[in-house]
C-alpha cells in the first residue's frame, strides 16, 4: 500500500496490517490516531514516535477538562 502517512514514519504499510484513517494508510493504530498521549509506533525505535509526541503539557489533558456546564 506504500509508506505510512504518519510524518516521520518510513515503514511500508501492508494491506493486512493497515490502519486507514480519512483515506490515508498508516502502519499502526498509534500512527493513524496521531500518537495520542505519546503512544509509540508499533515499530520499535521509529522516529515518528518522537516527532509526533504531544507537548508535555498536553499529554495529561483530559478530553472534558475544559468543558463548561
Amino acid at each position: 500500500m506504500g509508506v505510512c502517512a504518519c510524518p516521520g514514519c518510513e515503514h511500508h504499510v501492508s494491506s493486512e496490517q493497515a490502519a486507514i484513517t480519512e483515506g490515508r494508510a498508516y502502519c499502526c493504530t498509534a500512527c493513524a490516531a496521531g500518537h495520542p498521549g505519546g503512544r509509540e509506533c508499533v515499530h520499535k525505535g521509529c522516529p515518528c514516535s518522537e516527532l509526533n509526541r504531544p507537548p508535555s503539557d498536553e499529554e495529561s489533558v483530559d478530553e472534558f477538562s475544559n468543558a463548561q456546564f
Side-chain angles (χ1 to χ4, degrees):
M1 293 191 81
V3 176
C4 180
C6 182
C9 187
E10 297 179 357
H11 291 279
H12 287 276
V13 180
S14 68
S15 57
E16 298 84 35
Q17 296 177 335
I20 310 292
T21 301
E22 296 180 8
R24 298 176 78 189
Y26 296 87
C27 66
C28 66
T29 57
C31 286
H35 299 274
R39 279 182 48 202
E40 300 278 328
C41 178
V42 70
H43 299 100
K44 298 288 183 203
C46 185
C48 74
S49 294
E50 288 299 319
L51 290 171
N52 298 293
R53 187 172 306 282
S56 59
D57 61 332
E58 290 182 22
E59 286 187 32
S60 61
V61 174
D62 185 293
E63 178 180 343
F64 300 103
S65 65
N66 294 325
Q68 295 181 359
F69 296 96

